[in-house]
Amino acid sequence: MPHLLPLADEPAPERADAARNRERVLAAAAELVDERGADCLTMDAVAVAAGVGKGTLFRRFESREGLMGALLNRSETQWQASVMSGPPPLGPGADPWDRLMAFGRSRLETTLLHADLIRNAGRAGTRSFAAYSFAMAHVRHLLGGLGVEGDLPLLAVALMAPLELPVLDQQVTVEGLDVERVYAGWADLARRVVGA
Amino acid sequence: MPHLLPLADEPAPERADAARNRERVLAAAAELVDERGADCLTMDAVAVAAGVGKGTLFRRFESREGLMGALLNRSETQWQASVMSGPPPLGPGADPWDRLMAFGRSRLETTLLHADLIRNAGRAGTRSFAAYSFAMAHVRHLLGGLGVEGDLPLLAVALMAPLELPVLDQQVTVEGLDVERVYAGWADLARRVVGA
């Protein structure tokens, strides 16, 4: 039986349209960032690529920084989806140790891939509390599954902190360390924390 | 015998004067920050307290952010002096494990004490490469003294990363965790890294 009144969790048609348009703009912007890098992204180019007016763009994202922040958010949401329901070892199905290693590698790679985007987003690029909580709860859950005892939320944060951009930027961009060396160092840290 | 030409490592009288004036301004500003907090610091108040013109202040530090950055630098220099030649256990004379614990506690306390200053300094508050290198070399040296094997520069960074402001801010300011709990978590991390 078709329902005549919108359900509480079903967006109104206009809102669904707006969400589709928003996703279309973000997909176009993400493609431009992949091609030319975040430093070269202009609001004009995004407007042309997405087929919307520049006014719409600013109304929706406020500023270039706001658009960069929305791109980061979108990437974070995609990453969360692959942790929750993507293929193992990042997603469910692998053992906790392999999932922890996959977590470290994917954070390392995603952060470095989005380094320019994070820098260009300025304040809009500050990771949200929700994103931080998700990653922390995931690592804490894996540490629990590995039988680690102790203050798991703090140990989880200790494993996340070296994967943040300012730290990786210093090591990879400033000091020129090889990414594989940085990953091996992180894996060694995880081994020491887990006590394996 | 009095020397008539200035020696290479002896500042010319004008430069020594400038350094003294600079220190006088920074000491006055540091006192104001201790009394009222960095958020309430105005350039006017610093000029009055240090007995210099506001023009001099801007000429010397460029901006309020620049002054905040100089205050952080001064505090970092004082901290480095206490690591190099202050009393144990932070300074020399204690065993490496006690020095490592004292390092963690002093970084934690200094960062939280200066949280407002770091926020107000904006870009000028980004920790310098020299300061980062000093702290990293110190932790690496202590890990070496404790017989830790592995990629010591990376393990040193892993011990420093959870003591950076964005991480502590999240834990202490946003989540309201007790500082002693955060310190105990860091000490547990260090124990796991050292393997003691």
Side-chain angles (χ1 to χ4, degrees):
Chain A
M1 186 183 89
H3 50 262
L4 301 174
L5 290 172
L7 298 176
D9 57 355
E10 189 179 352
E14 301 85 340
R15 287 191 45 209
D17 258 16
R20 262 194 303 275
N21 283 337
R22 187 186 164 85
E23 171 53 27
R24 199 159 47 87
V25 170
L26 288 175
E31 209 169 300
L32 286 172
V33 167
D34 286 347
E35 280 165 22
R36 310 180 196 174
D39 288 344
C40 300
L41 190 78
T42 63
M43 293 297 259
D44 282 314
V46 176
V48 170
V52 298
K54 215 171 143 186
T56 309
L57 216 52
F58 277 99
R59 218 163 25 248
R60 201 155 283 166
F61 300 102
E62 281 191 21
S63 64
R64 185 172 174 277
E65 291 197 349
L67 175 66
M68 301 279 183
L71 280 175
L72 283 172
N73 243 324
R74 179 175 177 266
S75 148
E76 183 72 25
T77 305
Q78 290 170 342
W79 179 82
Q80 290 181 2
S82 44
V83 169
M84 285 190 293
S85 54
L90 184 60
D95 71 61
W97 175 255
D98 291 341
R99 289 195 78 188
L100 185 60
M101 290 299 101
F103 165 86
R105 182 172 285 282
S106 80
R107 284 321 282 187
L108 183 68
E109 287 174 352
T110 309
T111 302
L112 287 173
L113 183 68
H114 290 157
D116 285 342
L117 204 51
I118 296 172
R119 274 185 227 106
N120 275 277
R123 283 192 171 272
T126 309
R127 190 164 294 163
S128 73
F129 183 53
Y132 167 88
S133 301
F134 176 89
M136 207 261 261
H138 178 58
V139 175
R140 178 187 180 164
H141 169 77
L142 296 177
L143 292 176
L146 285 160
V148 176
E149 292 186 2
D151 198 333
L152 298 193
L154 291 185
L155 289 174
V157 168
L159 286 177
M160 291 158 64
L163 301 172
E164 292 293 331
L165 182 60
V167 179
L168 293 179
D169 218 17
Q170 171 68 39
Q171 296 178 314
V172 177
T173 318
V174 179
E175 297 175 47
L177 300 194
D178 190 79
V179 175
E180 283 310 312
R181 178 175 163 197
V182 175
Y183 175 69
W186 184 84
D188 180 36
L189 173 72
R191 247 188 311 275
R192 289 169 194 258
V193 165
V194 169
Chain B
M1 185 183 91
H3 49 265
L4 300 175
L5 290 173
L7 298 176
D9 57 354
E10 189 179 355
E14 300 85 341
R15 288 190 46 210
D17 259 13
R20 261 195 304 275
N21 283 337
R22 189 185 162 84
E23 171 52 28
R24 196 159 49 88
V25 171
L26 289 176
E31 208 168 302
L32 287 172
V33 168
D34 286 347
E35 281 165 22
R36 310 179 197 174
D39 288 345
C40 300
L41 190 77
T42 63
M43 294 297 258
D44 283 313
V46 176
V48 170
V52 298
K54 216 170 143 186
T56 310
L57 217 52
F58 277 99
R59 219 164 23 250
R60 201 154 281 165
F61 301 102
E62 281 190 22
S63 63
R64 186 173 174 275
E65 290 196 350
L67 175 66
M68 301 277 182
L71 280 175
L72 283 171
N73 243 324
R74 179 174 177 266
S75 148
E76 184 72 25
T77 306
Q78 290 169 342
W79 179 81
Q80 289 181 2
S82 44
V83 168
M84 286 190 294
S85 53
L90 184 60
D95 71 60
W97 174 254
D98 292 339
R99 289 193 80 188
L100 184 61
M101 289 300 100
F103 165 88
R105 182 171 285 281
S106 79
R107 285 320 280 187
L108 183 69
E109 287 174 353
T110 308
T111 302
L112 288 173
L113 182 68
H114 291 156
D116 286 341
L117 204 52
I118 296 171
R119 275 186 225 105
N120 275 278
R123 284 192 171 272
T126 310
R127 191 164 294 165
S128 74
F129 184 51
Y132 168 87
S133 301
F134 175 89
M136 207 259 261
H138 178 59
V139 175
R140 178 187 180 164
H141 168 77
L142 295 177
L143 292 177
L146 285 161
V148 176
E149 292 186 2
D151 198 333
L152 298 194
L154 290 185
L155 289 175
V157 168
L159 286 178
M160 290 158 63
L163 301 172
E164 292 292 330
L165 183 60
V167 179
L168 293 179
D169 218 17
Q170 171 69 41
Q171 296 178 315
V172 177
T173 317
V174 180
E175 296 175 47
L177 299 195
D178 189 79
V179 175
E180 284 310 312
R181 179 177 163 195
V182 175
Y183 174 70
W186 183 84
D188 180 37
L189 173 72
R191 249 187 310 274
R192 289 169 194 258
V193 164
V194 169

